[in-house]
Amino acid sequence: MGTTQLETAPEPKYWHLKTVLSEALDSEFSVGEILPNERDLAARFGVARATLRQALEQLELEGRLQRRRGVGTTVAPPRMGVAVGTEEHTWPGAAGDAWQPADCTVAAPPAAVADLLESVHGEQVHTVRRSRVSRGQPVAAELVYVPASSVPALPAIDTPSGAARARAVLRELRHLELEGQDRAVELGSASAEDAKELDRLPGAPVLVVTTRFFAAGRTAAVSVATYRADTCRLTFGDHDGVEIHHGPERRAS
Amino acid sequence: MGTTQLETAPEPKYWHLKTVLSEALDSEFSVGEILPNERDLAARFGVARATLRQALEQLELEGRLQRRRGVGTTVAPPRMGVAVGTEEHTWPGAAGDAWQPADCTVAAPPAAVADLLESVHGEQVHTVRRSRVSRGQPVAAELVYVPASSVPALPAIDTPSGAARARAVLRELRHLELEGQDRAVELGSASAEDAKELDRLPGAPVLVVTTRFFAAGRTAAVSVATYRADTCRLTFGDHDGVEIHHGPERRAS
DNA sequence: TAGTGGTCTAGACCACAAT
DNA sequence: TTGTGGTCTAGACCACTAC
């Protein structure tokens, strides 16, 4: 990565800068390597730090870089494939899924979720919090909303309200016959709460996967899972997990 | 939206600002309405324009706002659901899909696609460009990569190289028996080319859907579709298209 | 304590759309 | 021509990490 001079160009500086850096990452850096700090890089390219940062932000959004305050900017490994959907539909918490129940509370769900549940307003809704770890890294945080009417046989509040209760709620849910499910993926930004769990700063880009579970002719549960967008590639395989990716860190833009 | 003063807070100003604006959008603005310009808004909140812009950027990322140079900042409608996967697998270009073929060229695919195709290096690959419009708005641009060996009966180059040829390639492809497919979704940023087609600026956030089509024991084609992340919610339904969303523009973060 | 990325400021100019 | 958002600058200080 020489002391490149930016030529006059019709395109913005940060865009050109991003291209130059991207090529340098492919050819002159290896995964995990630390880049020069932002002040040095900016000086080297003859731009203000804010401009350099604009380029770095783009590259981080694309999963090419990882920046950590107090540490530095490192070259990110290729995104990991994370299996999200198999065609056989199952309840959350079914045998050997990738999630680990963490907690369970009873509260009114956010308005958007209440709409999806089509439940009676003010009905009790169990909220199970789960987290997902892949290759030693937290990749997703999830909230499963289960209306009380979906788990009528659930023992009263005598069960403690921690992971044990979370498991109890999901276990009860499995007694219903699952008739189908429904998935949507959209871009979001991490709430302060999710950010903490995902080891990112608030506002970090996340992929939000919303799943509706249908049973007994209605929506029996709703799950909202937020995946780190920088490190994850969500896979919806029926050819399960053919997971290859080599070469010097290429990606289709 | 009064002349709110920002209190001392442990959280960044732009974060607090985003929250305040978000609430104002819910309560005091309706879809399509134009916000005051950035300089006025910044003055009203007593922050620098760059700080105000940081908040607006977040809100735009979440699909709450739409900004257009020379025009202004408007309140965005709720994201539209765009059907991406039905469980019955079909070839691209099958009866009545949502795509419109635009062009077809023969070129070497990008390295990442070449890996997926596992094709002989240097093999001819037809590249079909298609676009997708929903509710009068462009929502996605796609490139379908079809190795020449997947369409052996395709007439030579006597066919013109426009939309007609694109349709011809896809028609030939449908003669193969589709054995399965494979999907992945990840965050990306729009290339200059895609940005133009999606009516956005280069670098705009997009959801990249990569699909592999399997036939005759190998990868017969690969499709890379980029969806506008600001306006689209990708749906993977088997309960086809239960499309509801009301209420005053709420969203789960 | 030193060095990193994260936030913030107060300007300036540019590209684009509407008038 | 006017007004908008988009880009860019040259600083400053803060929060965090590692030593």
Side-chain angles (χ1 to χ4, degrees), chain A residues 15 58 62 79 89 111 115 181 183-187 189-190 203 212 233-236 238-239 242 250 253, chain B residues 15 58 62 79 89 111 181 183-187 189-190 203 212 214 233-236 238 242 250 253:
Chain A
W15 185 261
Q58 282 257 355
E62 293 173 20
R79 283 191 179 131
H89 303 137
D115 284 356
Q181 65 188 49
R183 264 210 190 79
V185 179
E186 64 186 315
L187 180 58
S189 53
R212 290 192 288 177
R233 195 177 73 250
L234 307 185
T235 63
F236 296 79
D238 54 351
H239 262 231
V242 187
R250 296 132 162 178
S253 174
Chain B
W15 185 262
Q58 282 257 356
E62 294 172 18
R79 285 191 178 130
H89 303 138
Q181 65 188 46
R183 262 207 192 82
V185 179
E186 62 186 316
L187 179 59
S189 54
R212 290 191 289 177
F214 301 106
R233 194 178 73 252
L234 308 185
T235 63
F236 296 80
D238 52 352
V242 187
R250 296 130 161 183
S253 168

Side-chain angles (χ1 to χ4, degrees), chain A residues 14-15 18 57-58 61-62 79 87 89 110-113 115-116 118 179-192 194 202-208 212 214 224 229-230 232-247 250-253, chain B residues 14-15 18 57-58 61-62 79 87 89 110-113 115-116 118 179-192 194 202-208 212 214 224 229-230 232-247 250-253:
Chain A
Y14 79 90
W15 185 261
K18 178 195 143 186
E57 263 151 39
Q58 282 257 355
L61 197 77
E62 293 173 20
R79 283 191 179 131
E87 76 271 47
H89 303 137
V113 172
D115 284 356
L116 293 177
E118 301 156 1
E179 290 164 355
Q181 65 188 49
D182 204 37
R183 264 210 190 79
V185 179
E186 64 186 315
L187 180 58
S189 53
S191 67
D194 288 336
V206 290
L207 296 171
V208 181
R212 290 192 288 177
F214 301 106
V224 178
D230 56 341
C232 294
R233 195 177 73 250
L234 307 185
T235 63
F236 296 79
D238 54 351
H239 262 231
D240 33 353
V242 187
E243 188 57 52
I244 320 170
H245 241 298
H246 32 56
R250 296 132 162 178
R251 197 168 284 106
S253 174
Chain B
Y14 79 91
W15 185 262
K18 179 196 143 187
E57 264 151 37
Q58 282 257 356
L61 196 78
E62 294 172 18
R79 285 191 178 130
E87 76 272 46
H89 303 138
V113 172
D115 284 355
L116 292 178
E118 303 156 359
E179 291 165 353
Q181 65 188 46
D182 204 38
R183 262 207 192 82
V185 179
E186 62 186 316
L187 179 59
S189 54
S191 67
D194 288 335
V206 290
L207 296 171
V208 181
R212 290 191 289 177
F214 301 106
V224 179
D230 55 343
C232 295
R233 194 178 73 252
L234 308 185
T235 63
F236 296 80
D238 52 352
H239 261 232
D240 31 354
V242 187
E243 188 57 53
I244 319 169
H245 241 297
H246 31 59
R250 296 130 161 183
R251 197 167 285 104
S253 168

